[in-house]
Amino acid sequence: MSSQPESFWAKKIEFIQSRRPSSGPGQEEWRKETLQPWLNQTGAKLAEKENSSGIKIKEIFSEEDLGGDLDERLGYPGSYPFTRGVYPNMYLGRPWTMRMFSGFGTPEDTNRRLKYLIRHGETGLSIAFDMPTLYGFDCNNSRAEGEVGKCGVNVTTLKDMEVIFKGIDLSKISTSMTINAPAAVLTAMYVAVGKKNGYEERTLAGTVQADILKEYIAQKEWMYPPEAHLRIIRDMMTYCTRKMPRWNYISISGYHIREAGSSAVQELAFTLADGFYYIDMGLKNGLSADEFAPRLSFFFNSSINFFEEIAKMRAARRIWATVLKEKYGATKSRTMLMRFHTQTSGYTLTWQQPLNNIIRTTIEAMAAVLGGTQSLHTNSYDEAWALPSDEAVKVALRTQQIIAEETGIPDTIDPLGGSYYLEWLTDKMEEEAYRYFDQIERLGGILEAIKKGYLQKEIAATSYRRQTRLESGEETMVGVNKYVEKGEQPINILRISKKAQSNQIARLNQVLSSRDSKKVDKCLADLERAMENDEENLMPFFIRAVESYCTLQEISDVGRKVFGGWKEPVIV
Amino acid sequence: MAVGKSQSLFKEKPIKILLAKPGIDGHDRGMFVLAKAFRDAGMDVLYAGLLPTPEEVIDTAVSEDVDVIALSLLNGAHLTVFKKISDLLKKRKIDDIALVGGGTIPDSDKPKLEKMGISGNYGPGTPLSTIIDHVTKRASEARLRKLGGR
């Protein structure tokens, strides 16, 4: 399929291809004069390698693989196009933020875990919510039975948020909340908790994920049709742009796309395509790119193919800066620079021989640091089994501290910059990402591509291919399809007590009997009217509703009534 | 179960399997891999979509006349949620549909699930062939009961 010549993406592809050198006499000579005779003489073989993105990796890279002006496409740290990093001093000012994703059981359990991590040197909070919370169901809903507190902390009313953050100074630490469909409601709760504790909303620092596009692509946690969620995100964008200068209202996430089975290039391309959609949305609603793009942040996966991950992160920064400048007319550096959080890969963790996971996580964390991440979560070795134990999560945090303070890896900025292989791979991933942007545009844009199931099918195909390669032994997972041990001993894992649910229901009942039910009814009625009027910004209505102790599901149900639900396209 | 016998059992109508994630859980990567693998193995594959209630799972299984329901959860709620399905199947006196499970299920939970009639309960890293063999075995039992009952 040839590209439409007029598209922005096609022009970028052409440009990248134009700087590729046509021949490499040095490498050819080496192959002919040195490599081949040696292979002939020794009878040795040359293995063929490819990475998760299906990119064939040559046996050697040299200057001949880097055409064009390398300095121009690298820039220096803190300068366009930010390939080498977003800040001029990177980790020499301070290391990345060590932000461990935590949350389980009751708000009390999570409050204890957060304080435990702060005590051990964590520098930013990151909250995981349980499935009922992520889907907007209350803890006493029959569907929530057995699920409360299992995958994260349960939040049914503002009361729960008050407990989670009890005794934590919200003016000193920033909080990231992994919440999407109900993100605006949780932001409202955070504002309300802040207010109760004497922090004004403009001082609150943090991030909500709120990237609903990747929910339809990968994580599958939604309540309403895409258009309804996008409208709520729009409201949060415009509200927070004006009132909460330290609140990052969307964390555009590739993490889940990757965990759902995509390759590194697919993660890169689909995530940035989502990002461009949010830029278009802001522009359409009267914000300028320079006004709101600096508030968008990203979230990537760091998986096990070391150089591929580093190349992906460097390519991501370069593409974002280039497109913001050339396509969206951004003028300020701050608008073009892509800041991102990274989490090591959950999928690469094995159930078998779990201590090996410490090593995998270490390598992935190193890739994230060499890729220039702003914050990092390291997975715990027991997470293929369950949420992590205190002991396992401490090892994971210590892994980051060792990389930061013992290894010398962060002693100079972008130490791998200029590596022939890495720069070639960065260029290649960039080109492949532009091909996907072009394809997505042909399908009518990202929303159409999602509705057609195109992205979902691409991911499922990659994931199936990977599984078949594991089955055939073309790819190795140590302890799973090679070096397998029989009769492994189970490790101690964290179990969430059934009490989590009964405690939550007891607290909810207390809230229900002590709240002003007239006020609750009025807030919900007002919210319904506001939802019916697309001109209205919903944020103040959410804040009033949570402050009146409306439950998460009461608020979500108003949306279900007004907007309806969503059935995903069939892809199997 | 000998392969030949099961093959002849499914000659007219291949194994029909319904994949379901009956809890509040969007982790569908494994389900989609299995869907393709089962299809490649010649089975007729249905997917119950996201967040079906236990009633919806059983209704679909009955109306589509499936041999096997394959349940998957990665959210830790398998003991509660799988039980709802197994109880409902018993309540409706359905004995010609087999239940198999999988996900992040600790070893110590497996006997409890077996007691509910849910077998397999495979975790991450299980070879597809192991799962396909197990489903074929359970489907054969279910099919024989279906045929015997007619």
Side-chain angles (χ1 to χ4, degrees):
Chain A
M1 209 171 354
S2 72
S3 299
Q4 292 162 2
E6 70 274 18
S7 99
F8 175 82
W9 314 118
K11 280 188 204 140
K12 295 311 294 179
I13 297 167
E14 217 168 279
F15 171 73
I16 294 167
Q17 285 177 335
S18 74
R19 72 187 180 209
R20 188 175 301 147
S22 54
S23 68
Q27 276 178 37
E28 279 315 306
E29 196 182 306
W30 169 77
R31 272 193 196 91
K32 215 169 109 194
E33 306 281 328
T34 312
L35 176 65
Q36 202 52 54
W38 190 80
L39 292 177
N40 293 346
Q41 198 185 331
T42 59
K45 284 196 181 110
L46 200 59
E48 283 179 21
K49 296 288 183 187
E50 67 173 59
N51 63 18
S52 86
S53 308
I55 294 172
K56 299 254 181 294
I57 308 299
K58 289 195 299 176
E59 69 278 28
I60 190 80
F61 289 90
S62 66
E63 202 177 349
E64 289 172 352
D65 294 292
L66 311 175
D69 184 344
L70 188 61
D71 274 350
E72 191 183 83
R73 62 184 189 272
L74 290 188
Y76 273 83
S79 71
Y80 185 84
F82 305 100
T83 313
R84 305 197 66 184
V86 287
Y87 298 123
N89 63 346
M90 286 304 286
Y91 308 134
L92 297 169
R94 60 177 179 84
W96 59 92
T97 304
M98 299 179 190
R99 199 186 280 289
M100 304 297 283
F101 187 40
S102 328
F104 63 91
T106 62
E108 284 83 357
D109 294 327
T110 298
N111 178 261
R112 267 193 300 275
R113 176 63 68 85
L114 294 177
K115 286 176 174 164
Y116 173 86
L117 285 164
I118 291 170
R119 231 177 18 253
H120 287 286
E122 168 171 78
T123 48
L125 305 179
S126 175
I127 314 289
F129 297 97
D130 70 356
M131 289 293 175
T133 308
L134 293 169
Y135 284 92
F137 293 117
D138 284 348
C139 60
N140 61 353
N141 186 302
S142 67
R143 303 199 65 153
E145 204 186 328
E147 316 229 10
V148 172
K150 281 276 160 66
C151 286
V153 63
N154 178 260
V155 172
T156 298
T157 71
L158 176 60
K159 212 30 135 221
D160 301 315
M161 288 285 273
E162 292 167 10
V163 175
I164 292 173
F165 295 106
K166 201 170 173 189
I168 296 173
D169 186 347
L170 298 184
S171 68
K172 295 234 170 71
I173 202 154
S174 65
T175 303
S176 169
M177 296 195 281
T178 298
I179 189 86
N180 291 280
V185 183
L186 270 291
T187 298
M189 287 186 182
Y190 198 75
V191 168
V193 171
K195 243 195 246 175
K196 286 203 160 204
N197 293 312
Y199 310 112
E200 283 178 53
E201 62 183 349
R202 42 183 324 104
T203 64
L204 296 174
T207 306
V208 276
Q209 200 161 72
D211 172 10
I212 202 71
L213 291 174
K214 68 92 177 50
E215 293 300 329
Y216 297 103
I217 298 171
Q219 191 167 240
K220 316 288 172 80
E221 291 162 5
W222 58 73
M223 300 190 291
Y224 322 130
E227 288 80 2
H229 279 301
L230 288 163
R231 180 258 172 117
I232 297 171
I233 292 169
R234 175 204 73 184
D235 291 352
M236 196 164 45
M237 264 169 110
T238 46
Y239 181 90
C240 298
T241 300
R242 280 156 202 158
K243 303 210 163 187
M244 299 178 71
R246 302 177 67 202
W247 197 253
N248 298 313
Y249 36 72
I250 309 179
S251 168
I252 306 158
S253 304
Y255 189 83
H256 321 83
I257 292 173
R258 190 65 175 281
E259 289 294 302
S262 85
S263 68
V265 158
Q266 287 168 335
E267 178 194 356
L268 172 67
F270 300 170
T271 308
L272 268 69
D274 289 346
F276 301 144
Y277 183 90
Y278 296 123
I279 295 281
D280 286 327
M281 192 167 92
L283 297 178
K284 220 172 76 189
N285 287 286
L287 300 169
S288 77
D290 285 329
E291 192 181 7
F292 78 96
R295 306 283 283 284
L296 304 178
S297 62
F298 285 80
F299 173 23
F300 289 115
N301 195 305
S302 191
S303 195
I304 197 72
N305 189 319
F306 190 66
F307 288 100
E308 186 181 20
E309 296 307 309
I310 302 169
K312 174 189 79 188
M313 294 173 202
R314 298 168 94 250
R317 273 194 299 271
R318 183 151 84 212
I319 296 169
W320 187 248
T322 309
V323 175
L324 264 285
K325 186 179 182 184
E326 295 182 11
K327 189 164 189 277
Y328 291 105
T331 57
K332 295 180 185 154
S333 260
R334 186 66 187 76
T335 311
M336 303 173 214
L337 63 83
M338 167 194 272
R339 295 164 304 134
F340 62 86
H341 172 70
T342 306
Q343 179 169 339
T344 56
S345 162
Y347 173 74
T348 59
L349 302 183
T350 63
W351 175 280
Q352 298 81 357
Q353 304 176 34
L355 290 179
N356 296 343
N357 293 330
I358 298 175
I359 310 303
R360 295 189 176 98
T361 296
T362 304
I363 292 167
E364 293 166 356
M366 282 168 55
V369 170
L370 290 162
T373 195
Q374 275 56 66
S375 59
L376 179 60
H377 166 98
T378 30
N379 288 329
S380 300
Y381 64 81
D382 54 358
E383 285 191 78
W385 291 81
L387 297 193
S389 65
D390 271 357
E391 181 199 63
V393 80
K394 190 156 73 180
V395 172
L397 175 60
R398 293 284 182 256
T399 303
Q400 294 197 43
Q401 290 162 338
I402 290 168
I403 295 172
E405 299 182 38
E406 292 186 11
T407 63
I409 290 172
D411 285 357
T412 186
I413 302 168
D414 189 28
L416 293 181
S419 146
Y420 302 130
Y421 173 37
L422 185 67
E423 297 301 354
W424 174 86
L425 193 54
T426 304
D427 292 352
K428 188 75 189 159
M429 310 263 307
E430 183 186 20
E431 181 185 339
E432 296 297 322
Y434 278 113
R435 283 188 199 286
Y436 266 123
F437 300 147
D438 193 45
Q439 175 64 15
I440 289 167
E441 193 167 292
R442 287 154 183 278
L443 291 169
I446 191 87
L447 207 51
E448 274 307 304
I450 289 169
K451 288 181 179 173
K452 286 176 180 150
Y454 167 74
L455 305 164
Q456 299 92 312
K457 280 181 202 159
E458 285 285 292
I459 295 169
T462 304
S463 142
Y464 189 59
R465 178 174 175 272
R466 156 111 179 153
Q467 187 62 37
T468 51
R469 283 170 63 86
L470 284 171
E471 305 265 320
S472 69
E474 285 165 279
E475 282 187 39
T476 300
M477 263 180 124
V478 170
V480 175
N481 67 350
K482 211 172 174 182
Y483 316 112
V484 178
E485 289 173 27
K486 288 241 159 12
E488 291 192 41
Q489 290 301 309
I491 50 172
N492 285 328
I493 56 169
L494 183 79
R495 289 277 192 168
I496 308 297
S497 152
K498 278 202 165 160
K499 274 202 186 132
Q501 181 147 19
S502 51
N503 288 352
Q504 281 302 88
I505 292 174
R507 182 175 10 244
L508 173 60
N509 288 337
Q510 249 172 15
V511 169
L512 294 179
S513 63
S514 61
R515 66 183 189 175
D516 179 344
S517 60
K518 275 203 186 117
K519 215 167 145 194
V520 166
D521 292 346
K522 180 168 185 326
C523 283
L524 295 174
D526 288 349
L527 178 64
E528 184 173 338
R529 268 193 303 278
M531 282 183 167
E532 281 163 354
N533 176 7
D534 190 60
E535 308 281 299
E536 200 77 72
N537 189 308
L538 296 175
M539 279 311 291
F541 294 89
F542 286 138
I543 294 172
R544 279 199 291 277
V546 301
E547 283 178 337
S548 309
Y549 293 94
C550 297
T551 72
L552 177 61
Q553 186 171 346
E554 285 169 341
I555 295 170
S556 306
D557 282 348
V558 176
R560 290 185 179 105
K561 187 177 156 198
V562 175
F563 304 125
W566 175 253
K567 266 216 171 326
E568 64 177 331
V570 177
I571 70 155
V572 290
Chain B
M1 171 72 49
V3 175
K5 196 174 171 190
S6 60
Q7 268 175 355
S8 67
L9 195 55
F10 301 118
K11 209 171 159 193
E12 301 280 307
K13 187 184 163 226
I15 296 172
K16 199 165 185 184
I17 183 165
L18 173 66
L19 306 183
K21 294 186 66 65
I24 310 179
D25 182 21
H27 296 94
D28 54 13
R29 175 182 186 157
M31 270 308 201
F32 289 158
V33 167
L34 283 177
K36 281 184 202 272
F38 290 148
R39 197 162 287 152
D40 285 354
M43 299 183 200
D44 194 355
V45 180
L46 300 169
Y47 176 52
L50 276 177
L51 268 64
T53 61
E55 289 77 12
E56 286 166 347
V57 173
I58 304 292
D59 288 347
T60 307
V62 170
S63 69
E64 292 285 343
D65 193 22
V66 305
D67 302 297
V68 181
I69 303 173
L71 303 170
S72 154
L73 277 182
L74 284 83
N75 67 358
H78 46 269
L79 286 179
T80 315
V81 177
F82 286 7
K83 186 169 187 301
K84 284 186 184 175
I85 303 267
S86 125
D87 286 351
L88 201 57
L89 216 51
K90 279 180 202 132
K91 200 175 139 203
R92 296 202 191 168
K93 301 195 166 43
I94 300 166
D95 67 350
D96 59 357
I97 297 177
L99 284 180
V100 299
T104 45
I105 298 169
D107 286 340
S108 52
D109 288 351
K110 288 177 185 170
K112 294 174 201 159
L113 292 171
E114 292 269 353
K115 250 194 190 153
M116 298 174 200
I118 300 162
S119 66
N121 304 312
Y122 297 113
T126 309
L128 291 174
S129 54
T130 307
I131 299 171
I132 291 167
D133 286 350
H134 182 77
V135 164
T136 306
K137 178 174 156 266
R138 293 296 315 272
S140 307
E141 295 160 10
R143 185 66 67 89
L144 284 172
R145 272 199 296 275
K146 265 191 222 302
L147 295 173
R150 269 171 204 161

